[in-house]
Amino acid sequence: MPELPEIETIRRGIAPLVTGSTVEQVIVRDGRLRQPVSPELAQVLPGIRIEAVERRAKYLLLRCTSGTLIVHLGMSGSLRVLSSTIPPQAHDHVDIALSGNRTLRLRDPRRFGLLVWTAEEPLRHPLLAGLGPEPFSSEFSGDYLFARSRRRSVAIKSFLMDQRIVVGVGNIYASEALFQAGIAPQRRAGEVECSRYHRLAAAVGEVLSKAIAAGGTTLRDFQNAEGKPGYFALQLQVYDRDGEACPRCGEAIQCEQIGQRSSYFCSHCQR
DNA sequence: CTTTACGCCTGACGGC
DNA sequence: TGCCGTCAGGCGTAAA
């Protein structure tokens, strides 16, 4: 489900509620996620204090006194902070009970997410070590994209969604950024000129910023830390708008599979 | 090395 | 009313 704006929305929602809290108990109802949840979590976490909630790519990092809890929400995961008395529902796989009668609850129907404890520096963890730059970092730019894309024959949309190139851009925001930049998603990455990569880098930043400001995109089931939806779906220009009029030129928006993912674009405005 | 296809898993939806 | 195929905000792996 979640791309960078949704993860950042969750981070901002839970950070003030859990920072400084102490873990009292961990309940793993179903540890069968993308990687099995280690049973040692229930032994290690109680008594530990959550110092900060950070985000790297689409991962949340709960930095604690003696290590870090790495959380990924896959396609369908959500994290909420609830009163400890609220009973769990279907797919509420893990509860982290905190001081102050609050519970951090992980729900993930499809179980593509993961929850990993590491005592080492999480940014060097194998899950995170190979990730590309953050889209809001100074390392990310049109020049950077241009350089990385030379001799690459992949579709530019797949290139943009490659987390080793730049992190945080998933299927929704890739379509949106390419529309805003006026680039056809099936164009080979290595054949796109430098000036167009400058437009693309700017579009990525703008689309992600606006989506964060709107609290993320809720198409089906995204919910923030309070269980509420995000409102960026109202501002989506092309995603999930197959057959609707392009907001720029009025021609019908098209949908094609690119790299096994549905890709929305205007073939008149995007070249 | 790069590129592509598929599987992981559950639920919702549309067609018959 | 089922039942069956398809699809869904991600990612790791295998094969070519």
Side-chain angles (χ1 to χ4, degrees):
Chain A
M1 142 193 12
E3 304 180 37
L4 185 151
E6 289 73 38
I7 301 301
E8 180 61 22
T9 296
I10 291 172
R11 189 196 69 77
R12 293 180 185 187
I14 67 171
L17 301 175
V18 307
T19 303
S21 298
T22 302
V23 176
E24 294 189 339
Q25 191 189 7
V26 178
I27 303 168
V28 181
R29 290 187 202 82
D30 186 348
R32 297 173 302 160
L33 303 184
R34 198 172 94 212
Q35 288 181 21
V37 176
S38 166
E40 68 159 8
L41 267 194
Q43 263 71 74
V44 172
L45 283 189
I48 276 176
R49 210 175 98 104
I50 299 174
E51 307 284 5
V53 184
E54 299 172 5
R55 180 191 57 73
R56 171 71 175 116
K58 299 172 191 169
Y59 292 87
L60 284 169
L61 307 177
L62 276 65
R63 298 235 184 215
C64 303
T65 35
S66 60
T68 302
L69 198 56
I70 303 174
V71 185
H72 194 276
L73 297 176
M75 290 277 265
S76 60
S78 60
L79 259 191
R80 299 179 62 182
V81 178
L82 303 157
S83 160
S84 295
T85 55
I86 295 177
Q89 298 180 9
H91 312 300
D92 286 343
H93 303 314
V94 180
D95 276 2
I96 298 174
L98 304 169
S99 49
N101 287 319
R102 281 190 298 243
T103 290
L104 184 62
R105 178 166 287 170
L106 173 72
R107 176 181 301 178
D108 188 359
R110 296 177 70 181
R111 293 192 271 114
F112 289 170
L114 63 84
L115 196 58
V116 171
W117 173 256
T118 178
E120 313 292 321
E121 168 51 47
L123 299 180
R124 287 198 287 270
H125 191 280
L127 286 164
L128 310 187
L131 293 169
E134 290 285 327
F136 296 117
S137 70
S138 56
E139 200 188 327
F140 178 71
S141 67
D143 288 340
Y144 166 82
L145 285 177
F146 179 72
R148 292 294 306 266
S149 63
R150 292 310 87 187
R151 304 159 156 270
R152 295 290 306 269
S153 66
V154 264
I156 190 167
K157 174 162 175 279
S158 303
F159 176 75
L160 192 58
M161 290 172 64
D162 184 339
Q163 303 298 296
R164 295 165 300 185
I165 302 300
V166 60
V167 301
V169 181
N171 204 37
I172 292 178
Y173 301 111
S175 279
E176 291 298 307
L178 286 164
F179 172 77
Q180 190 172 317
I183 302 169
Q186 51 277 87
R187 185 118 290 169
R188 287 165 181 260
E191 293 173 355
V192 174
E193 313 88 287
C194 194
S195 61
R196 312 189 78 208
Y197 274 113
H198 281 96
R199 290 180 63 187
L200 181 57
V204 166
E206 212 173 297
V207 165
L208 295 180
S209 305
K210 286 182 176 168
I212 292 169
T217 299
T218 299
L219 286 172
R220 303 170 226 309
D221 52 12
F222 168 70
Q223 51 180 39
N224 64 22
E226 281 108 42
K228 298 191 176 133
Y231 295 99
F232 194 68
L234 299 168
Q235 297 178 60
L236 291 176
Q237 306 291 293
V238 290
Y239 187 85
D240 210 22
R241 297 194 182 281
D242 198 4
E244 293 181 31
C246 167
R248 275 193 68 225
C249 75
E251 292 205 7
I253 291 162
Q254 314 200 45
C255 180
E256 264 179 36
Q257 296 297 118
I258 298 172
Q260 327 292 115
R261 309 299 300 276
S262 292
S263 310
Y264 300 85
F265 60 98
C266 171
S267 56
H268 179 253
C269 297
Q270 295 173 254
R271 296 288 168 166

